[in-house]
Amino acid sequence: MSLSAVLLGAGPTPSPTPSGTTTPAVPTIKDAHESATQAATWVEQNWSTWLAIGLRVLLILAIAAVLRVVIRRAITKFIDRMNRTAQAVDGTALGGLLVNVERRRQRSQAIGSVLRSVASFVIMGTAALMVLSAFEINLAPLLASAGVAGVAIGFGARNLVTDFLSGVFMILEDQYGVGDTIDAGVASGEVIEVGLRVTKLRGDNGEIWYVRNGEVKRIGNLSQGWSTAGVDVTVRSSEDLDKVRSTIGDVAERMSKEEPWNELLWGPIEVLGLDSVLLDSMVVRVSAKTMPGKSLTVERELRWRIKLAFDAADIPIVGRAPVALDAEPTADPTAGMAAPSAYASTTSPQSVAATPLAPPSVTK
């Protein structure tokens, strides 16, 4: 029984008047005493329940707040430790070869933001459901409504959800990072910023591409692991192959010992052999394993050194003669003229046959 019902039930009964109307009766001290006694009894019977519910709600909120703070601080310390590790190797040989500080910083910040948001949502959402259950509220309709609303929002913003989820997995799997050169299908270039929804690329001509993560179906990362520098040298077919190999070997040995090429080269420069043999020329293939993204730099330097070494060793570098294009035929001056017609001559059989007949003469 509620407190209002107790008070209403304890009130005096109105008395009728001679005119037929009723006037409220004045409560007596006895009636007030009975009402107060019933209210005090109701409170005494239910205060323990109220206190238990209140303490339970406070305990749930306190545990949720403490747990949220602890987990967020743990995630922040973990991210800071990752950044300190990246900064510790910055400037060293390992840092120059394998670690990009800006890439590690952005990746760690993105991962930390995602983890903190997920932790806060899970903890506070669970706490809210536990508080509602403490008040004995049926959560089944609420959960069903939330499920329907989530499905509707998911269909309405499916592109945004796709971009976000794709960005999360790209960052977690470290598919690419700041400083990498990638081919994303829709655009290619150097990565300058990695976000949860959009990735920014700097193109070869300086343009900036904003690529939605959900639109990327395949990624070709040109900056992970190692790269291969390949140079083709074309010489005459009558050239001494041992001399060619020895000259290229000398170039490779000197280049591997000089800076900065000794750091950019991750393997020896090798003469793989003849790539093709023609009647007037042959192609020698030279290859080397390099630092990621530095293959073009190594190829240019290697071509430069091979050309100088071949000139000193009197080994000419030849190439195929350009294919001569067929000369355009001279225009026929009569091409635009119509073919002669048999009707052009008045004496031709066609012209005579087409001449109208003269009308017959009338004789008197």
Side-chain angles (χ1 to χ4, degrees):
M1 181 182 296
S2 62
L3 180 60
S4 60
V6 172
L7 296 178
L8 291 176
T13 303
S15 58
T17 58
S19 60
T21 61
T22 58
T23 58
V26 179
T28 61
I29 297 178
K30 182 179 179 181
D31 296 335
H33 178 70
E34 292 179 355
S35 300
T37 302
Q38 294 178 1
T41 303
W42 184 83
V43 171
E44 184 179 1
Q45 293 175 352
N46 295 277
W47 74 271
S48 59
T49 304
W50 294 352
L51 181 60
I53 294 175
L55 292 177
R56 186 177 178 183
V57 170
L58 290 177
L59 183 62
I60 292 173
L61 295 179
I63 293 176
V66 172
L67 188 62
R68 179 174 178 270
V69 171
V70 170
I71 292 180
R72 288 177 66 91
R73 287 187 177 180
I75 294 174
T76 303
K77 288 183 179 180
F78 175 72
I79 298 303
D80 293 340
R81 183 176 301 177
M82 291 177 58
N83 291 334
R84 286 196 300 268
T85 304
Q87 293 175 1
V89 297
D90 185 24
T92 63
L94 178 62
L97 294 176
L98 301 179
V99 179
N100 187 312
V101 177
E102 180 65 18
R103 169 179 176 173
R104 291 285 298 271
R105 185 187 67 81
Q106 288 199 9
R107 179 171 178 260
S108 60
Q109 286 184 353
I111 294 175
S113 176
V114 172
L115 293 179
R116 283 190 291 266
S117 300
V118 171
S120 299
F121 177 78
V122 172
I123 293 173
M124 301 310 296
T126 305
L129 295 178
M130 294 179 66
V131 168
L132 293 178
S133 64
F135 286 102
E136 298 182 355
I137 298 176
N138 188 10
L139 299 180
L142 180 62
L143 294 178
S145 301
V148 174
V151 172
I153 294 175
F155 275 109
R158 59 184 179 274
N159 291 334
L160 182 61
V161 175
T162 302
D163 296 340
F164 180 81
L165 293 179
S166 299
V168 169
F169 282 105
M170 287 178 181
I171 293 174
L172 292 178
E173 296 173 359
D174 196 18
Q175 298 179 6
Y176 56 83
V178 175
D180 286 352
T181 301
I182 67 172
D183 181 3
V186 293
S188 60
E190 181 182 356
V191 180
I192 60 176
E193 184 177 342
V194 179
L196 294 177
R197 193 182 69 87
V198 174
T199 298
K200 292 183 182 179
L201 302 178
R202 174 77 68 179
D204 296 335
N205 297 325
E207 69 277 10
I208 295 180
W209 297 97
Y210 293 84
V211 181
R212 288 171 42 198
N213 295 328
E215 294 182 350
V216 179
K217 304 303 180 183
R218 54 107 175 142
I219 296 175
N221 196 325
L222 308 179
S223 302
Q224 283 186 349
W226 45 269
S227 299
T228 301
V231 175
D232 292 334
V233 182
T234 306
V235 296
R236 293 178 302 188
S237 58
S238 59
E239 202 68 47
D240 187 359
L241 290 178
D242 293 334
K243 183 179 179 181
V244 172
R245 182 188 293 272
S246 176
T247 304
I248 296 177
D250 295 339
V251 171
E253 184 178 358
R254 289 195 302 269
M255 184 174 176
S256 301
K257 294 180 180 180
E258 297 179 3
E259 292 186 357
W261 311 111
N262 55 355
E263 293 184 357
L264 298 182
L265 289 170
W266 284 11
I269 301 176
E270 300 177 347
V271 180
L272 300 182
L274 290 177
D275 193 62
S276 63
V277 178
L278 304 176
L279 292 177
D280 57 348
S281 64
M282 55 185 177
V283 178
V284 180
R285 181 72 173 177
V286 183
S287 177
K289 186 181 294 185
T290 68
M291 180 189 299
K294 300 299 181 180
S295 59
L296 293 178
T297 305
V298 174
E299 288 176 1
R300 296 188 183 102
E301 181 67 17
L302 190 57
R303 291 190 186 98
W304 184 284
R305 291 173 179 254
I306 290 176
K307 177 63 171 67
L308 294 179
F310 276 22
D311 290 344
D314 195 18
I315 301 176
I317 297 178
V318 300
R320 296 180 181 179
V323 179
L325 299 177
D326 295 337
E328 295 183 359
T330 57
D332 186 3
T334 63
M337 299 175 58
S341 175
Y343 295 96
S345 176
T346 56
T347 60
S348 64
Q350 291 85 354
S351 180
V352 173
T355 302
L357 298 176
S361 61
V362 180
T363 59
K364 295 181 178 180

